[in-house]
Amino acid sequence: MERRKFIGKAGAGIAGIVAAGSAPAFAQGAGEVKWRLASSFPKSLDTIFGASEFLARRVAEATSGKFQIRNFAAGEIVPGLQVLDAVSNGTVECGHTASYYYIGKDPTFAFGTTVPFGPNARQFNSWWVQGGGEALMNDFYKEHSLRALLCGNTGAQMGGWFRKEIKSVADLRGLKIRIAGLAGQVLTKLGAVPQQIAGGEIYQALERGTIDATEWVGPYDDEKLGFNKVAKYYYYPAWWEGGAALQVFVNGKAWEALPKEYRAILEAATAEANTWMLTRYDTQNAVALKRLVGGGTQLRAFPRPVMEACHKESLALYAEISAKNPKFAKIHEHMMRFLEEQVLWFRVAEANYDGFMQTGRKPAAAAKSPAAKK
Ligand code: CA
């Protein structure tokens, strides 16, 4: 009895100290929080879907399991392209998706992912984290009851799989290509016929010749989807995705209701997942590209006149949209001004270093094949 009294008093004493603020706020016990995350991607794409699984694991680890985020693949709660609505209307607390899937609502959504001839992954991260991009985009997302946290990037994407070679701008005429977003609108100006086809149906469409070409992401994902079996030519680069960024969108009310320490943990975990996804793509793409080329895939660069024509039409499209949409105009101007500075800087040290590493030196001995060593 005496001992219990003592423990009781001691306990009250500790509680008093905690209340006085000498222990971390965490010790006061932010309660259990259980969120559902709707992903726009299938589980089979373990890099892009894997990023949200990684995020959920890190959040659980950092909160001793008190803040749990359960992941749902595309179609489990809502179809992949309805994730943003599901977050916005509170069906789920958060979602992992590509902002540019929603340009039908407002083309300004494109800037959350990327736009044709936009920044590469490094430059996008710089724009978002240091250049004011995050504040600008979250101002825009707020109108849709959303809070966005940067969470992943694919790096520069491949231009996709073509059944026939593209040797000139004229070869784009009549080309039926599965491609989404603003890039589709650019290609329309050059006579191509963009198609919207859900991820799971692309392979069949390409196999049957319903489409002539498709783009997706890069070697690792594209190989999983089997496009190399039904198209021979693998083009680069995707001038429309110099680096495609992903976000975790959080419902505005859910964000406000989230304890401050959980917000900080979620911000830290999404930043970590952002790195996790890009590094995983960079690592896996290198290996997958070798496998594809070894299996007969023919690599092709888009001819420079094709790149230039697409660039010209992209600028025309930006001017058209900006004339009608002040929100688009404001963010476009901001991103491109930032990008101009970045390109000037990158062409000095970064590009010259990369150029020499790629073509000016002998590969490291460890990278040579056993046959080459002999
Ligand atoms: Ca793509």
Side-chain angles (χ1 to χ4, degrees):
M1 196 66 191
E2 282 304 301
R3 191 168 168 270
R4 266 195 197 170
K5 258 188 192 170
F6 174 76
I7 291 170
K9 278 183 185 172
I14 289 166
I17 291 165
V18 168
S22 63
F26 201 86
Q28 291 181 25
E32 287 205 354
V33 172
K34 288 188 173 157
W35 277 12
R36 297 196 301 171
L37 180 150
S39 171
S40 284
F41 312 104
K43 283 184 178 148
S44 59
L45 298 180
D46 57 19
T47 307
I48 202 160
F49 183 80
S52 60
E53 286 184 310
F54 175 86
L55 165 73
R57 194 167 69 242
R58 296 297 281 151
V59 166
E61 282 167 0
T63 61
S64 304
K66 288 201 287 181
F67 182 9
Q68 301 225 348
I69 300 173
R70 195 170 160 208
N71 280 271
F72 293 86
E76 286 187 337
I77 297 177
V78 287
L81 301 182
Q82 287 171 29
V83 165
L84 196 94
D85 288 325
V87 178
S88 191
N89 67 26
T91 302
V92 290
E93 289 83 7
C94 63
H96 190 224
T97 187
S99 184
Y100 71 175
Y101 287 156
Y102 310 97
I103 58 168
K105 296 176 189 298
D106 186 324
T108 312
F109 275 100
F111 297 109
T113 308
T114 192
V115 293
F117 300 97
N120 67 22
R122 284 251 320 262
Q123 294 159 346
F124 187 95
N125 282 339
S126 300
W127 178 68
W128 183 274
V129 177
Q130 306 286 346
E134 175 176 12
L136 264 183
M137 289 310 294
N138 267 316
D139 266 0
F140 168 71
Y141 291 136
K142 212 173 183 178
E143 296 167 25
H144 299 266
S145 311
L146 299 165
R147 168 92 191 181
L149 300 163
L150 188 60
C151 190
N153 199 300
T154 62
Q157 295 195 6
M158 289 293 283
W161 300 85
F162 292 69
R163 290 162 69 96
K164 287 181 193 157
E165 285 185 87
I166 300 295
K167 292 182 173 168
S168 69
V169 178
D171 290 337
L172 295 174
R173 248 175 256 143
L175 183 83
K176 284 179 278 177
I177 177 168
R178 182 267 169 203
I179 189 168
L182 296 178
Q185 295 175 35
V186 170
L187 284 174
T188 301
K189 287 170 174 285
L190 293 164
V193 190
Q195 317 273 316
Q196 301 272 13
I197 301 173
E201 294 159 28
I202 303 172
Y203 178 90
Q204 267 199 341
L206 194 58
E207 186 187 30
R208 289 179 186 165
T210 313
I211 53 174
D212 307 307
T214 186
E215 70 90 43
W216 182 251
V217 174
Y220 184 62
D221 283 354
D222 293 4
E223 184 188 38
K224 274 181 186 287
L225 296 176
F227 299 144
N228 54 310
K229 293 174 199 154
V230 284
K232 185 172 167 189
Y233 301 105
Y234 197 18
Y235 272 85
Y236 60 88
W239 44 262
W240 52 97
E241 279 165 314
L246 288 298
Q247 275 87 19
V248 163
F249 285 102
V250 179
N251 174 274
K253 282 182 188 159
W255 177 257
E256 289 305 320
L258 194 65
K260 269 188 187 166
E261 54 265 48
Y262 288 177
R263 280 190 218 165
I265 286 168
L266 188 59
E267 283 168 343
T270 45
E272 194 183 359
N274 192 45
T275 302
W276 183 91
M277 184 170 143
L278 182 60
T279 51
R280 187 167 165 85
Y281 266 124
D282 281 343
T283 305
Q284 301 288 358
N285 279 335
V287 183
L289 185 62
K290 270 191 188 172
R291 268 197 308 264
L292 288 168
V293 171
T297 288
Q298 299 276 312
L299 286 180
R300 293 285 185 278
F302 285 125
R304 193 163 177 105
V306 170
M307 293 290 286
E308 286 170 352
C310 294
H311 183 238
K312 191 178 160 211
E313 295 303 341
S314 298
L315 297 185
L317 181 68
Y318 294 146
E320 284 167 29
I321 301 173
S322 292
K324 292 181 286 192
N325 186 330
K327 287 176 204 165
F328 182 97
K330 180 182 162 191
I331 300 179
H332 175 257
E333 203 270 333
H334 186 275
M335 176 185 261
M336 293 305 169
R337 190 160 25 90
F338 186 85
L339 181 57
E340 282 309 318
E341 295 292 323
Q342 289 285 296
V343 170
L344 275 174
W345 158 231
F346 269 63
R347 71 181 284 183
V348 177
E350 206 74 42
N352 282 289
Y353 178 73
D354 286 350
F356 185 80
M357 289 301 285
Q358 289 154 13
T359 60
R361 72 191 173 109
K362 290 180 180 160
K368 287 182 188 166
S369 68
K373 274 183 199 163
K374 279 174 194 167

